[in-house]
Amino acid sequence: MQRVNFSAVSEFVLVGLSDTPEIRFLLFVLFLLIYLATMAGNIMLLIAISTDSHLHNPMYFFLGNLSLLDIFCPTITVPKMLGALLLEHRVISFAGCLFQQFFLIDVVGTEIFLLAVMAYDRYVAVCHPLRYLNIVSTKLCAQLAVGTWAAGVLNSLLHTSLIFTLSFCGPNKVQQYYCDIPPVLALSCSSTHSRELVILVVAGVLGSGACVGTVVSYIYILLAILARNSPGIWHKAFSTCGSHLTVVCLFYGTTICTYVRPSFSYSPHRDRVVSMLYGMLTPLLNPIIYSLRNKEVKCALRRVISRVRSAL
């Protein structure tokens, strides 16, 4: 059996966002503030959910998982990007590139599945309120959470193994500020057609399936609320579901646009902008849209802050 030539390249060079020192410093400050705000919002939400008994229910259990993913997602890419902006250190080892891509695809894939699970949870809560706790039981919550994380890992193993068993023997300049599938795939000196096809099919089926399931769940939610004939509830529901769907569509749209497309349509400049939307913007918006607008979460955060003050 022929041995696979993993790589003749020992390291990759990541393309920076700018070569102008003044612009690099401004971008560093901007992205550092966004990253810190993202960390603060999601960590506060996790603390509130884990310490407040009023939030120990299925909806907040899934929100806690989402916050954990929103902490991991920017942490995988942003520190390296900040280092490149401030210190111009853009080199990443072959193994470092592999692990960065693996963990990023894992987190993004898990979040795709988790958003579909969260939409189903809200569908059951709105359309079957009397049977909600029986349907979405503690056991089912645990199974769904484990299933989403396991699916993310398996999906990432598939994609990462397809990419890093290729041969890399030529240029090593990755046209992105982190290691992602399209720019790394473009550097391979072996045939990539069959692997591109597998990536397109798997990402298309999983991503589109989760997206359709999420949108259908929200459609049923809206129809159930409209049937109650209460304008006050309508306004609140449209406001909440509209904001949820905005973030969901932004995340699904940008990730599908990145991974479900042929290689000849790859555009480095466009991909850098698109990747920032799902890699930095949605983790910042999720705690605001899903939780910090929620009265129960606000009360829980106040209780956490008061306990911290008392302890100090």
Side-chain angles (χ1 to χ4, degrees):
M1 188 173 179
Q2 187 178 2
R3 179 178 289 181
V4 178
N5 178 20
F6 279 91
S7 178
V9 172
S10 61
E11 62 184 22
F12 292 100
V13 178
L14 304 174
V15 172
L17 298 177
S18 175
D19 293 325
T20 307
E22 294 80 7
I23 296 177
R24 282 207 317 269
F25 180 74
L26 290 175
L27 290 175
F28 172 82
V29 173
L30 173 63
F31 291 131
L32 178 62
L33 291 175
I34 292 174
Y35 179 66
L36 293 177
T38 301
M39 293 298 103
N42 285 288
I43 289 172
M44 285 174 61
L45 183 56
L46 271 176
I47 292 172
I49 292 173
S50 60
T51 60
D52 197 298
S53 59
H54 296 87
L55 303 183
H56 291 175
N57 60 53
M59 180 178 75
Y60 294 109
F61 170 74
F62 293 127
L63 280 174
N65 280 266
L66 182 65
S67 290
L68 198 59
L69 289 169
D70 286 338
I71 290 172
F72 290 154
C73 187
T75 301
I76 294 168
T77 60
V78 173
K80 185 69 178 178
M81 179 187 68
L82 294 176
L85 287 170
L86 190 64
L87 306 174
E88 294 191 63
H89 183 69
R90 302 176 182 177
V91 176
I92 185 170
S93 67
F94 183 85
C97 186
L98 185 153
F99 283 112
Q100 187 182 56
Q101 181 173 304
F102 171 79
F103 287 118
L104 180 65
I105 298 172
D106 177 20
V107 168
V108 171
T110 302
E111 186 159 339
I112 286 175
F113 303 133
L114 182 63
L115 288 174
V117 169
M118 292 172 65
Y120 170 74
D121 170 70
R122 291 298 83 207
Y123 157 75
V124 177
V126 173
C127 299
H128 305 283
L130 298 179
R131 296 192 296 144
Y132 173 63
L133 293 179
N134 290 328
I135 296 174
V136 189
S137 61
T138 303
K139 181 180 179 181
L140 180 62
C141 287
Q143 290 173 341
L144 289 173
V146 171
T148 56
W149 286 87
V153 170
L154 293 174
N155 177 62
S156 184
L157 279 173
L158 172 64
H159 289 304
T160 306
S161 62
L162 286 172
I163 300 300
F164 284 92
T165 50
L166 292 168
S167 296
F168 296 90
C169 50
N172 67 338
K173 194 172 184 179
V174 179
Q175 297 294 323
Q176 181 60 283
Y177 62 89
Y178 62 91
C179 288
D180 201 6
I181 290 177
V184 173
L185 192 65
L187 298 178
S188 175
C189 54
S190 53
S191 176
T192 62
H193 297 299
S194 60
R195 307 193 185 206
E196 282 183 44
L197 181 61
V198 174
I199 291 170
L200 281 172
V201 171
V202 172
V205 170
L206 295 179
S208 302
C211 182
V212 169
T214 303
V215 172
V216 168
S217 295
Y218 277 111
I219 289 174
Y220 274 107
I221 289 171
L222 291 174
L223 290 176
I225 292 170
L226 289 173
R228 293 176 183 175
N229 195 25
S230 175
I233 295 178
W234 291 357
H235 181 269
K236 183 178 179 180
F238 277 115
S239 174
T240 303
C241 291
S243 57
H244 286 194
L245 278 174
T246 299
V247 176
V248 166
C249 290
L250 176 65
F251 183 77
Y252 280 135
T254 51
T255 51
I256 290 174
C257 175
T258 300
Y259 300 111
V260 187
R261 55 140 190 238
S263 60
F264 63 81
S265 64
Y266 172 63
S267 171
H269 299 292
R270 181 188 63 193
D271 272 31
R272 285 183 210 128
V273 176
V274 171
S275 64
M276 287 180 188
L277 293 177
Y278 72 80
M280 296 186 68
L281 185 60
T282 53
L284 175 66
L285 292 178
N286 278 339
I288 299 172
I289 296 297
Y290 278 100
S291 306
L292 297 183
R293 294 176 59 190
N294 187 301
K295 291 182 180 179
E296 290 181 337
V297 175
K298 288 181 180 178
C299 292
L301 288 173
R302 291 192 191 100
R303 286 191 287 269
V304 169
I305 292 171
S306 66
R307 285 198 296 268
V308 170
R309 286 178 177 174
S310 299
L312 294 176

